Amino acid sequence: AQALARVGLESIVVSLDGTVQSLTDDGFNLGVLKHSQREYVAAEAHFKRALAISEKQLGPEHPDLATLAAAEA
């Protein structure tokens, strides 16, 4: 299931240039999953990607970014 989610996420990013809100949610959720599996490097990569997509969509000062930034820390 993880591999399918990753492939689906990557194909959406390629086709839509990472501008869909669900990409942020999917990336964050994959980060949470990897963190629960103690795969911290992979989790951090997903959190950073979700944060970067959100910053691009919302702007770097948007208050909703706090949750993603806290997860990354």
Side-chain angles (χ1 to χ4, degrees):
Q2 293 175 46
L4 290 176
R6 191 176 321 109
V7 169
L9 180 62
E10 289 172 1
S11 66
I12 292 170
V13 170
V14 169
S15 65
L16 299 178
D17 192 31
T19 58
V20 178
Q21 180 60 38
S22 66
L23 292 177
T24 302
D25 298 337
D26 292 345
F28 182 79
N29 290 338
L30 284 170
V32 170
L33 174 66
K34 292 298 183 182
H35 188 271
S36 71
Q37 296 173 335
R38 298 178 187 241
E39 296 181 31
Y40 302 118
V41 174
E44 181 181 17
H46 288 296
F47 289 140
K48 284 184 177 186
R49 187 175 197 175
L51 182 60
I53 292 169
S54 290
E55 284 179 344
K56 183 177 178 181
Q57 288 180 311
L58 304 173
E61 300 299 319
H62 197 281
D64 287 352
L65 297 177
T67 301
L68 291 170
E72 183 185 352

